[in-house]
Amino acid sequence: MSSMFRTVMGAGFDRLHPQLRRRFSVGLASGEACTGRGVMDRIWHGGAFVKPFLALGTTRNILVPREGRNISFKIENVPYEDTFGRETVTFVRTFDLPGRSRRFDAQMVLSPKGDRILDYLGTHQHLASELHFRAEPDGSLLIRSGEHRFREGAVDVRVPELIGATAEVRESYDDAAGRFRIRVRVVNKYFGPLFGYEGSFTASYTDIRTCGVRPGLRPVREESRA
């Protein structure tokens, strides 16, 4: 067995920087979880029209409602088997914003065909996005979102481009600084940039047989539809 990220990237996985290969090898096969701690140099938003959507998303731990600079940050990547028997890796980000910490939750699973990652967003997994991974020539990792779907009860619809967005994540490793660097941009086709952040962090690894999945890390509701 290998990690879901190696599965979807194939030979491209071996072109990643060694530290990125380690980080994206977390899974049930490796038996490791990864915790990143660092600082977001900047968290930004688009125009004022974005704020109501960010505020709504915050009720389900989706996106971050406030801007800021030099914000302490943590990301928890912990593998587990969900209630449907699928290997899942958490991508739970906590931003220590002034006055109150905010979370941006996601859980990633491998698609049934093994050709893409499905990213379930928020505490109730109402939003699901396809993610596509690519190794860049410099050894960094580029992740781009594809189709987004909204799922609640019998409802399963594609999110229209007018209100949807494309996410782009670039993650690299800075050998000189000994830190991972990350940049995230969420852009709407018609309205432009909506949200993003950029910064750096260090990573530590733990044995999942020892640490397990801490309370509150898993979603309140899990979505079975892939």
Side-chain angles (χ1 to χ4, degrees):
M1 291 179 63
S2 62
S3 76
M4 64 176 72
F5 308 105
R6 178 181 282 277
T7 297
V8 297
M9 292 184 69
F13 189 86
D14 293 321
R15 296 196 295 271
L16 293 174
H17 187 283
Q19 292 291 341
L20 285 171
R21 291 202 302 268
R22 172 83 186 279
R23 205 171 105 67
F24 285 89
S25 289
V26 296
L28 296 179
S30 71
E32 283 191 325
C34 176
T35 301
R37 291 182 173 87
V39 174
M40 289 298 109
D41 300 323
R42 179 186 175 218
I43 302 172
W44 58 267
H45 295 162
F49 69 92
V50 175
K51 293 183 179 180
F53 296 100
L54 294 174
L56 179 62
T58 301
T59 65
R60 290 291 187 264
N61 286 357
I62 302 174
L63 303 179
V64 181
R66 295 180 59 184
E67 297 177 300
R69 291 184 178 273
N70 300 318
I71 303 299
S72 296
F73 163 87
K74 178 171 71 172
I75 181 167
E76 298 171 89
N77 303 123
V78 181
Y80 65 92
E81 188 175 284
D82 73 4
T83 54
F84 305 106
R86 302 173 300 185
E87 179 180 12
T88 305
V89 177
T90 68
F91 276 72
V92 173
R93 312 148 180 99
T94 302
F95 300 85
D96 291 332
L97 290 160
R100 180 182 174 185
S101 294
R102 298 288 188 172
R103 276 179 41 166
F104 183 1
D105 292 7
Q107 292 81 30
M108 297 191 186
V109 303
L110 187 64
S111 70
K113 293 182 179 179
D115 59 344
R116 56 202 163 92
I117 297 290
L118 301 176
D119 192 27
Y120 293 104
L121 302 178
T123 56
H124 292 65
Q125 297 192 346
H126 287 133
L127 289 175
S129 299
E130 296 179 352
L131 295 182
H132 304 280
F133 290 67
R134 188 178 79 200
E136 298 289 83
D138 62 356
S140 62
L141 175 64
L142 173 64
I143 308 172
R144 282 201 176 103
S145 64
E147 180 180 278
H148 306 283
R149 301 194 72 83
F150 176 82
R151 289 165 172 156
E152 168 60 25
V155 177
D156 182 2
V157 296
R158 182 173 182 173
V159 177
E161 287 186 339
L162 181 63
I163 60 173
T166 298
E168 181 179 280
V169 180
R170 292 182 181 271
E171 190 165 324
S172 61
Y173 190 78
D174 185 332
D175 286 294
R179 300 175 69 85
F180 292 89
R181 298 199 179 276
I182 187 167
R183 184 177 69 191
V184 175
R185 287 173 55 85
V186 179
V187 179
N188 177 274
K189 181 178 180 180
Y190 300 98
F191 300 108
L194 304 179
F195 164 81
Y197 56 86
E198 55 191 77
S200 66
F201 60 93
T202 59
S204 60
Y205 300 88
T206 51
D207 188 330
I208 59 173
R209 292 169 296 185
T210 301
C211 68
V213 183
R214 70 169 178 80
L217 200 61
R218 292 180 62 156
V220 175
R221 165 188 175 270
E222 293 180 336
E223 173 60 58
S224 63
R225 287 167 287 192

